[in-house]
Amino acid sequence: MVVLAASIVGKSGKVLVSRQYVDMSRIRIEGLLAAFPKLVGMGKQHTYIETENVRYVYQPIEVLFLLLVTTKQSNILEDLDTLRMLSKLVPEYSMSLDEEGINRAAFELIFAFDEVISLGHKESVTVAQVKQYCEMESHEEKLHKLVMQSKINDTKDVMKRKANEIDKSKIEKTRGDKGGLSSMSSLSSGFNDMSMSHGPGSSFGSGSMLGMMSDVEPISTKAKDRSRSSVTAPPKSSGMKLGKSGKNQLMESLKAEGEDIIEDVKPTSQTRAAVALPTDPFTLTVEEKLNVALRRDGGISSFDMQGTLSLQILNQDDGFVQVQIETGGNPEILFKTHPNINRELFNSESILGLKRPDQPFPTGQGGDGVGLLRWRMQRADESMVPLTINCWPSVSGNETYVSIEYEASSMFDLTNVIISVPLPALRDAPMVKQCDGDWRYDSRSSVLEWSILLIDNSNRSGSMEFVVPPVDSSVFFPISVQFAATSTYSGLKVTGMIPLRGGGGATPRFVQRTQLIAQDYQVV
């Protein structure tokens, strides 16, 4: 079979789209297409017309003709099969089957025709495969864009922190110039007096530190001064004399407040340790874990969501605080505070504080922090599930065709989605005919893993089709699902930190991490 050209022409003979697959002159193809309307009989049902040199195989499409120009030696059955495939593709790319719609989608139609016909011969492809090939979607490009956007966001955060530090240093410098050396010395001693020792406090439960960073900008950055106040100033060298100038005394007082002063001296190990301390003394982690079992024929078999809020404090002097939070107001979620937390204060004002305000929260440089709050939700309908999976196995002859579809809720944007489908023991990987995303076959565990990097409003649904030898449909269950999200069911948000000492100063700086993860998510 040799197709000379694939064209779309009007009934008057006007050529709208034409793609040639053999070497021929423009005059010849224009002559062949111009002769076609004259050969079409009126009132007769035709599928092909033969002349001395070529054969016209055509199909009416409303007011147009879809036309194949072939050699007379070509197999007409294969030509008709190619014509049917092209007739399915034309409505996929042209919104209206008229002259204006075809002209608007001319290049897309040519690209689609090229996927079906190569050098005059038909390719073994489906409509879905042609659309996938023409989209030229690259998951590597998506990943690259996500990484670049993440770097841009990180750079913006660093710029914002640097700007805050510069503004703070200017304010403190102006204050030092106005107040004189005596006021700076008294301010330094006042900050040093705040370094008080206390017991380790009560033992708390731990939460998870997994999550995605989202900096919460406070109203002021004075807490950064207080977090650095416990850092001891470098020891005085033996060359220090009483006759030092006022400038050196000013620099020493600024060091005591936590300012980074660059001098023309070799830094000691103690000053290097002070610079390495993090700038955010509080880290709060909001994490929800999902345990869901979905029925293969629809509906929910079981649903259990458990959430925790944990707090990590790096500086021992900053333990005298309370945490102000906001919840989404979901009546299905039940909150439970730690036994050492003042529950009446939480119920009335949504503030998490110790029953004994004179005791600080436990602190530490490592670990997962201390657990403050837990919550749980055990009732939900299918519309509240982040992801639903439909699996349709069907046996046809010596093969089993499996079609899997996912539908994601608009409530969550899911990342790193992996759908694991168990398969029978196979020597080779299954034949995947269509896949929205990436797939990998694990021959050791006989599992086909379907992975989607990101599910958002652009791909709330997707499908995958593959073929395996004939087996029972129960082999493909249970299907396990893994994913993560940066939004939660509770909508819990930390709005601020309330200091209990230091005269109730400005809101300290803190970092909040939020994550929803699928701990045990299956279709049974």
Side-chain angles (χ1 to χ4, degrees), residues 220-462:
S220 174
T221 57
K222 292 183 180 179
K224 189 184 299 181
D225 297 337
R226 198 173 71 256
S227 67
R228 296 179 177 178
S229 62
S230 62
V231 179
T232 307
K236 296 181 180 180
S237 62
S238 59
M240 180 73 70
K241 295 182 180 180
L242 294 177
K244 275 283 184 177
S245 63
K247 179 179 178 182
N248 290 336
Q249 294 181 20
L250 176 61
M251 294 177 66
E252 290 294 331
S253 61
L254 288 175
K255 287 181 183 178
E257 293 182 52
E259 290 292 335
D260 297 331
I261 305 300
I262 301 176
E263 300 183 35
D264 295 332
V265 295
K266 187 174 182 179
T268 62
S269 60
Q270 197 167 2
T271 58
R272 285 193 296 266
V275 176
L277 286 177
T279 59
D280 300 310
F282 300 98
T283 301
L284 295 108
T285 302
V286 178
E287 183 182 63
E288 290 184 354
K289 297 181 179 180
L290 272 181
N291 295 277
V292 178
L294 302 174
R295 299 190 185 96
R296 65 184 72 178
D297 54 353
I300 300 177
S301 178
S302 63
F303 180 95
D304 183 28
M305 182 276 293
Q306 298 183 14
T308 58
L309 171 64
S310 60
L311 168 66
Q312 186 182 36
I313 305 175
L314 300 183
N315 195 343
Q316 193 174 26
D317 295 326
D318 293 326
F320 297 92
V321 292
Q322 293 178 339
V323 183
Q324 178 75 59
I325 66 172
E326 288 182 359
T327 59
N330 190 338
E332 300 292 337
I333 297 179
L334 302 177
F335 291 92
K336 185 177 181 180
T337 59
H338 189 275
N340 289 344
I341 296 295
N342 189 338
R343 185 168 182 81
E344 295 180 358
L345 182 63
F346 169 72
N347 293 333
S348 60
E349 302 182 30
S350 297
I351 295 178
L352 296 170
L354 294 176
K355 292 180 178 178
R356 297 183 57 183
D358 57 330
Q359 288 188 350
F361 282 106
T363 60
Q365 294 285 344
D368 295 334
V370 294
L372 304 181
L373 186 66
R374 293 181 181 178
W375 58 93
R376 192 170 188 176
M377 184 173 71
Q378 292 182 302
R379 291 192 303 173
D381 54 19
E382 195 170 4
S383 62
M384 297 183 64
V385 175
L387 195 68
T388 57
I389 307 294
N390 293 321
C391 182
W392 299 89
S394 60
V395 179
S396 177
N398 294 327
E399 294 178 330
T400 299
Y401 292 84
V402 183
S403 177
I404 301 179
E405 298 177 345
Y406 75 81
E407 291 187 6
S409 171
S410 59
M411 298 169 56
F412 304 95
D413 288 346
L414 308 180
T415 60
N416 299 324
V417 181
I418 300 178
I419 303 173
S420 302
V421 183
L423 300 179
L426 302 175
R427 178 178 300 177
D428 300 321
M431 182 173 61
V432 178
K433 291 192 171 183
Q434 187 266 333
C435 180
D436 294 333
D438 296 328
W439 64 275
R440 185 181 72 89
Y441 175 62
D442 187 353
S443 58
R444 293 185 178 181
S445 56
S446 295
V447 172
L448 179 63
E449 293 184 352
W450 178 17
S451 60
I452 304 100
L453 185 64
L454 174 65
I455 296 180
D456 54 13
N457 291 329
S458 63
N459 57 342
R460 291 295 179 189
S461 62

Side-chain angles (χ1 to χ4, degrees), residues 496-512:
M497 306 292 294
I498 305 174
L500 299 180
R501 293 193 176 183
T507 303
R509 183 180 179 85
F510 64 92
V511 172
Q512 179 178 339

